[in-house]
Amino acid sequence: MVWGVNSEDAKSYKSRKKLFQLALTGISLKPEQVVHISDSLSSDVKRAKALGIKALWVNRSEKEISEGIESISNLLEISNKMEVYIRRSD
């Protein structure tokens, strides 16, 4: 399932807790059942992880990756990474 919510929907600035909570409510899933994909490490990926949501950083410029951060270099890699997440949850 792919579903999205934006800051206008949440009437909240990007990466606030309320935005993630609205998304979780909208899809009726728990944080551990979701993967958040973003190219913003500091405002999106770290916030999602802090809320217990798996996060995948789109690291297009191949910057150094902090420990505990999973990344891809382009959007074409998403399906391979999702297969890994699915196998981990089995």
Side-chain angles (χ1 to χ4, degrees):
M1 169 194 303
V2 176
W3 191 83
V5 65
N6 62 38
S7 51
E8 185 176 325
D9 295 331
K11 295 180 180 31
S12 173
Y13 291 107
K14 186 176 176 179
S15 80
R16 295 252 172 118
K17 184 177 181 178
K18 180 179 179 181
L19 187 58
F20 288 99
Q21 290 171 327
L22 181 62
L24 291 170
T25 300
I27 57 176
S28 300
L29 293 174
K30 297 176 184 174
E32 60 272 13
Q33 297 173 301
V34 174
V35 177
H36 177 75
I37 301 168
S38 175
D39 63 356
S40 176
L41 178 62
S42 60
S43 58
D44 286 343
V45 172
K46 290 182 178 179
R47 170 65 75 173
K49 286 182 65 66
L51 297 171
I53 298 170
K54 290 181 224 58
L56 186 57
W57 179 34
V58 183
N59 183 7
R60 290 185 181 98
S61 58
E62 298 185 12
K63 295 180 182 176
E64 185 175 336
I65 302 168
S66 303
E67 187 174 330
I69 301 295
E70 295 195 53
S71 72
I72 55 175
S73 59
N74 63 65
L75 296 176
L76 297 174
E77 297 176 32
I78 289 174
S79 63
N80 292 337
K81 196 58 115 169
M82 295 309 294
E83 287 178 22
V84 171
Y85 286 135
I86 291 167
R87 281 192 300 253
R88 284 184 194 164
S89 66
D90 289 343

